Amino acid sequence: MLKSIVNAAVNWINAGLPMICLKIVVYSCNPQQMSHEDEEILDQFNKLKVKWEDVRPKTEQPKIVYDLYLSYSNSDMQKVKEIEHLLKKEKTDIKIFSEHQELNKEQAWQTEMFDVMVTCARIVTMLSPQYLESRECLEQYNLAMCCNRRTSRSVLAPFYIETIPSMPSYMCIVQYFDVRIREEMLQNCKSFLQLITIDYTKIDNQVEDKDKEYDVFISYSHENSEKAMIVLKTLSTLNSHRIFYDRNELKAGTLWQEKLYESIDKSTCMVALLSPEYLQSAVCQEEYSLAITKHFQEGDFRLVPMCISNMEGIPQSYSKVHAVDARQDFEGTCLVVCNAINSFISMGFMNPDIFHIDQTTIDPDEILFKYREQYYQANYEKLIETREKLKTITTSATESKQENQRNEQQLESYHTDTGPNGNYQYDVGFSYGEANKKYAHFLHHVIEGRWPEVVTNFSLNKNDAAGFMESLEKSRMIITFLSSLKFLEVEELHLALFRHRGGTTGHEVIYPIQVVPPSMRPTYLKLIPCNVACYDLHWKDTIVKAQKSGQTLFDQAVLDASTDLIATGTGISSEIKLALSMAADDIISLIKHSSSVTKKATLLNIVEVKQFIEDKEQSQLGDVELDKILKSIPSDSKERVVERMKRLKLDQKLNMATIKMQAVLALSSRNNPESSESNKWKGQSKSCVIL
């Protein structure tokens, strides 16, 4: 068993699994005195260590022998043969390895499979319900993912051959060729063959062009594909621009979400075709949110929205950049817009009729800090202020028993809720890299200390990439650390974003945490809604304030987690402890009081956030004056004031501060007609609608 474990681990490392160190723990009844069996195990490990210690992962790329490796279930043989026939008909000299390789059950590492796969230009996985039921097929898919990480090109090329009722998220985030419809099968096979006409022997040791840039990114709903194609053709005829059009640029085997975000980051201009379908698409909303952030942050990026169909009303966050009206004569307007874009890209000239020229700049870092600060003030400070009070609260035996029964019933519902692919196995799934391991370790212990019944994936082996991804698939909530992301953590992040966007789970899926400030690129990491950033100043300010007042901020769960962390030889600052402590409260609250969540974008619209913050600040200013007036109202009238405020809040059209003032004035004028504070606000509220 030990030999199989070590050999398999070394081979997975050589295959591209990002594992640095392998540690094996042998449990013994008497650790102080080694038994004869323990000595034999240690001796065998030392021999294996000598064998593998000086072996380093191969850096050279293997010679390409086959164009394709076909991975499929025997149950799908008929359709596989049909696809193979089409491929050979279109490309007579194509070399395909289509033998069905069986698992060697005596080996933990499938040497024969991997040795063939690395000699193939592309690995085609025929996705179907039968494929997911086959252990051999899933092993081949995981090996193909390793080949993707090891080589400098996209090796994996999934073919979607039969509808899967509930496809795993880790497969959904990888771009595939859809060949389910027979009429489209030939065209998609032709498109795929264009990808393998390159002479791979010349690029085996080359790195993909990571700095590739696009002149124009076309953002559209697939319901408006015909008009998007007109934009593409018009731009292409004017000049040889580098254009991102998803159906041309999203290659099979790539993480399509990351490719979209990355391509906007590397574009000079984005054309957004606004329509009701566009505004309803979560992915389109994300593209727009990313583009509008760059539009107001960077001087060399421009967003050009085009309104292509009638809409009841464009949301305020979409009207900040004026849209070109293309509803009446789309083709004519498209030509004018494309000419303006051509002039901008070629000569830097911006036609004021097309480009929204505004000197306004928006600092997303500043806006998002205020967003988190408001969230902190509304939630965390209350927890901090009441923590000492909670320690003094005692519950009667009867109340305690009833509460325990309610908790048990609620806990049972957590573990029987149905996830995207069956019952949730974990309440919380952790996604983190080596750089964030100690923070994940600390947070896990705090959550466990406050919610002993919680089930997490923290104890799972992260080196088992496939198994760990599956655990995230079956987690109710996924905690992601957004700093220092490596390849595997990026995959895990996009799995969480995909599940969160899907909206089929009925609750929040992703809980992101920033430990250190994000870098300039990629921009999308800044826009993922994040309640906790450990570097925010309010954590340190709260600690200083608590030290001066003698307030205790950390409960026993935090103290125990700190002790456990010290035992591992690491530690974290008090500010980060406080941030993660509050995150633990937030996570537990979100899980236990989850509400229905519909499909929604996973990136914040910075204009929308800015408006939200300004409305909140204005409301808070109104609250100061409101407090003054409340003091002048007789105590027996305050209940009516509060009730009036509750009813008036239903009108979303009025500013919340004004609504509060109206409610107060309506009652305070009856009770105290001559109140100077009341008269002071009468003139300012005349223009408001009285409900």
Side-chain angles (χ1 to χ4, degrees):
M1 177 61 75
L2 179 65
K3 184 178 179 181
S4 296
I5 292 173
V6 174
N7 288 343
V10 173
N11 279 297
W12 276 109
I13 293 173
N14 285 334
L17 189 70
M19 182 165 65
I20 300 172
C21 178
L22 171 67
K23 294 183 179 180
I24 299 175
V25 179
V26 179
Y27 289 93
S28 174
C29 296
N30 187 4
Q32 284 73 31
Q33 184 175 358
M34 291 183 65
S35 66
H36 177 67
E37 290 180 351
D38 292 341
E39 289 178 351
E40 287 183 348
I41 292 173
L42 183 60
D43 181 59
Q44 186 182 17
F45 179 75
N46 286 332
K47 290 178 181 178
L48 290 167
K49 187 176 180 182
V50 171
K51 175 184 176 181
W52 291 110
E53 202 163 29
D54 295 328
V55 177
R56 294 289 179 265
K58 298 177 182 178
T59 55
E60 71 278 6
Q61 299 292 340
K63 183 180 179 180
I64 300 299
V65 177
Y66 300 98
D67 294 301
L68 302 180
Y69 179 103
L70 298 187
S71 169
Y72 57 90
S73 165
N74 280 329
S75 303
D76 299 320
M77 182 64 74
Q78 183 177 348
K79 193 152 191 178
V80 171
K81 288 296 182 184
E82 186 179 355
I83 293 172
E84 186 178 2
H85 173 73
L86 284 174
L87 293 172
K88 287 181 176 179
K89 183 179 178 181
E90 292 296 319
K91 191 176 189 300
T92 55
D93 61 341
I94 193 170
K95 297 177 182 178
I96 301 178
F97 184 92
S98 58
E99 295 178 22
H100 188 75
Q101 290 186 293
E102 300 288 343
L103 278 180
N104 186 338
K105 296 181 180 179
E106 300 298 320
Q107 294 183 352
W109 168 258
Q110 302 301 315
T111 306
E112 291 81 3
M113 283 186 185
F114 185 76
D115 287 347
V116 176
M117 283 185 171
V118 292
T119 63
C120 299
R122 301 301 292 262
I123 301 169
V124 177
T125 55
M126 304 289 186
L127 303 183
S128 69
Q130 296 75 236
Y131 190 93
L132 297 188
E133 293 171 1
S134 167
R135 184 182 167 192
E136 287 87 353
C137 292
L138 292 179
E139 185 77 5
Q140 289 171 0
Y141 191 94
N142 293 329
L143 287 171
M145 290 295 291
C146 269
C147 291
N148 251 17
R149 300 178 189 118
R150 180 183 176 184
T151 60
S152 57
R153 49 193 163 78
S154 296
V155 177
L156 177 62
F159 271 41
Y160 194 13
I161 66 173
E162 184 181 338
T163 301
I164 300 172
S166 187
M167 187 185 292
S169 299
Y170 72 89
M171 290 186 177
C172 291
I173 63 176
V174 178
Q175 185 70 19
Y176 54 73
F177 281 98
D178 194 340
V179 294
R180 290 173 293 173
I181 302 175
R182 186 174 297 276
E183 289 74 18
E184 297 179 3
M185 186 185 297
L186 177 60
Q187 183 56 46
N188 282 324
C189 285
K190 287 181 178 179
S191 300
F192 172 66
L193 286 174
Q194 292 176 2
L195 301 177
I196 61 172
T197 55
I198 304 171
D199 183 359
Y200 285 104
T201 60
K202 294 181 180 179
I203 65 167
D204 276 344
N205 294 313
Q206 294 179 5
V207 177
E208 251 180 37
D209 184 8
K210 300 286 184 186
D211 298 321
K212 180 181 179 182
E213 295 181 353
Y214 296 97
D215 296 311
V216 185
F217 184 103
I218 301 176
S219 175
Y220 68 101
S221 163
H222 282 186
E223 298 293 325
N224 309 127
S225 296
E226 291 183 5
K227 290 184 178 179
M229 184 58 71
I230 293 173
V231 175
L232 175 64
K233 289 180 179 178
T234 306
L235 282 170
S236 300
T237 55
L238 290 174
N239 209 325
S240 56
H241 295 304
R242 303 172 80 172
I243 303 170
F244 183 94
Y245 179 69
D246 59 350
R247 296 190 176 183
N248 294 343
E249 299 298 318
L250 291 179
K251 310 301 183 185
T254 59
L255 297 176
W256 62 267
Q257 293 174 136
E258 184 187 28
K259 180 64 175 176
L260 286 178
Y261 300 154
E262 183 184 74
S263 300
I264 295 174
D265 250 348
K266 295 179 179 179
S267 296
T268 304
C269 174
M270 186 178 102
V271 178
L273 305 185
L274 302 186
S275 67
E277 296 81 15
Y278 189 97
L279 299 183
Q280 291 168 8
S281 166
V283 175
C284 291
Q285 290 175 42
E286 292 167 17
E287 293 172 359
Y288 197 91
S289 295
L290 188 50
I292 202 169
T293 299
K294 290 171 62 62
H295 180 91
F296 285 109
Q297 183 185 21
E298 303 174 11
D300 58 349
F301 179 91
R302 307 313 295 177
L303 169 62
V304 182
M306 294 175 64
C307 184
I308 64 173
S309 58
N310 292 325
M311 293 184 282
E312 291 185 3
I314 299 178
Q316 185 177 357
S317 55
Y318 284 79
S319 58
K320 183 69 175 176
V321 178
H322 302 314
V324 178
D325 191 347
R327 292 173 295 174
Q328 302 301 322
D329 178 16
F330 177 78
E331 292 192 13
T333 307
C334 178
L335 180 60
V336 173
V337 170
C338 289
N339 273 311
I341 290 173
N342 183 47
S343 298
F344 170 62
I345 294 171
S346 304
M347 299 176 288
F349 171 71
M350 288 192 290
N351 183 337
D353 294 329
I354 304 301
F355 290 92
H356 176 71
I357 303 173
D358 191 342
Q359 301 301 319
T360 304
T361 58
I362 297 177
D363 183 352
D365 294 328
E366 180 183 352
I367 295 298
L368 294 172
F369 165 71
K370 289 182 178 180
Y371 171 82
R372 293 191 300 270
E373 188 173 41
Q374 283 191 356
Y375 192 90
Y376 166 81
Q377 291 170 352
N379 297 278
Y380 298 144
E381 285 192 341
K382 293 177 183 177
L383 293 170
I384 295 169
E385 291 169 0
T386 58
R387 184 159 294 170
E388 287 298 315
K389 296 178 183 178
L390 290 174
K391 290 180 181 179
T392 63
I393 296 175
T394 58
T395 310
S396 67
T398 304
E399 291 174 335
S400 179
K401 184 177 180 180
Q402 291 173 345
E403 181 66 22
N404 288 337
Q405 289 174 346
R406 285 195 295 270
N407 287 340
E408 287 175 8
Q409 291 172 355
Q410 194 174 32
L411 184 63
E412 176 131 3
S413 70
Y414 297 154
H415 298 296
T416 56
D417 277 353
T418 302
N421 294 302
N423 292 342
Y424 290 115
Q425 291 185 7
Y426 308 96
D427 298 301
V428 177
F430 284 85
S431 171
Y432 59 92
E434 191 62 30
N436 295 310
K437 186 176 181 179
K438 62 180 180 180
Y439 307 116
H441 181 96
F442 178 85
L443 181 58
H444 168 258
H445 276 273
V446 174
I447 293 175
E448 205 171 46
R450 293 176 184 167
W451 184 12
E453 303 87 357
V454 69
V455 180
T456 78
N457 72 339
F458 189 79
S459 61
L460 296 184
N461 183 6
K462 278 218 72 176
N463 294 324
D464 176 11
F468 200 81
M469 288 285 278
E470 186 178 355
S471 75
L472 296 178
E473 183 82 29
K474 296 182 178 180
S475 295
R476 185 180 181 85
M477 178 177 284
I478 301 173
I479 300 172
T480 59
F481 290 83
L482 298 180
S483 312
S484 307
L485 296 178
K486 303 300 181 186
F487 190 91
L488 274 179
E489 290 85 68
V490 170
E491 284 184 9
E492 293 166 6
L493 170 62
H494 283 283
L495 182 150
L497 291 174
F498 179 84
R499 280 191 55 200
H500 188 84
R501 184 195 297 117
T504 58
T505 55
H507 57 82
E508 301 283 343
V509 173
I510 186 172
Y511 191 92
I513 295 175
Q514 292 179 354
V515 178
V516 296
S519 56
M520 286 294 293
R521 295 288 186 276
T523 306
Y524 80 90
L525 288 180
K526 295 181 180 182
L527 301 180
I528 298 174
C530 184
N531 296 340
V532 172
C534 298
Y535 51 86
D536 283 340
L537 296 177
H538 43 249
W539 306 117
K540 186 173 183 179
D541 292 342
T542 301
I543 288 175
V544 171
K545 181 181 175 182
Q547 289 173 342
K548 290 180 179 179
S549 63
Q551 183 185 12
T552 302
L553 296 177
F554 299 136
D555 62 354
Q556 193 60 44
V558 172
L559 298 177
D560 291 343
S562 302
T563 303
D564 189 76
L565 202 60
I566 292 172
T568 64
T570 57
I572 58 178
S573 67
S574 297
E575 293 89 338
I576 294 180
K577 285 181 185 178
L578 180 59
L580 295 179
S581 170
M582 296 300 100
D585 283 330
D586 204 18
I587 290 163
I588 294 170
S589 176
L590 285 170
I591 293 176
K592 290 190 173 184
H593 304 97
S594 61
S595 57
S596 180
V597 175
T598 56
K599 263 189 180 181
K600 62 178 182 179
T602 57
L603 302 184
L604 291 170
N605 184 306
I606 204 71
V607 174
E608 198 173 88
V609 175
K610 185 173 183 290
Q611 188 61 49
F612 171 80
I613 292 170
E614 290 173 353
D615 289 346
K616 189 79 172 177
E617 289 174 345
Q618 188 176 0
S619 176
Q620 289 171 346
L621 288 173
D623 285 341
V624 174
E625 297 296 333
L626 177 62
D627 289 339
K628 292 180 182 178
I629 295 178
L630 283 173
K631 290 178 181 178
S632 66
I633 299 175
S635 57
D636 60 348
S637 300
K638 288 186 179 179
E639 289 184 5
R640 287 186 291 155
V641 172
V642 173
E643 186 61 33
R644 175 84 170 176
M645 285 167 57
K646 286 180 180 178
R647 288 194 292 111
L648 288 174
K649 278 184 182 181
L650 296 175
D651 189 348
Q652 299 296 324
K653 297 178 183 178
L654 299 178
N655 177 272
M656 290 306 299
T658 306
I659 289 174
K660 292 175 184 177
M661 297 310 303
Q662 281 187 292
V664 173
L665 290 171
L667 289 174
S668 63
S669 59
R670 291 183 216 161
N671 292 288
N672 190 6
E674 303 303 321
S675 168
S676 58
E677 289 291 337
S678 173
N679 291 326
K680 173 183 175 182
W681 281 87
K682 278 183 180 178
Q684 297 186 32
S685 60
K686 284 180 181 178
S687 60
C688 298
V689 179
I690 304 298
L691 302 182

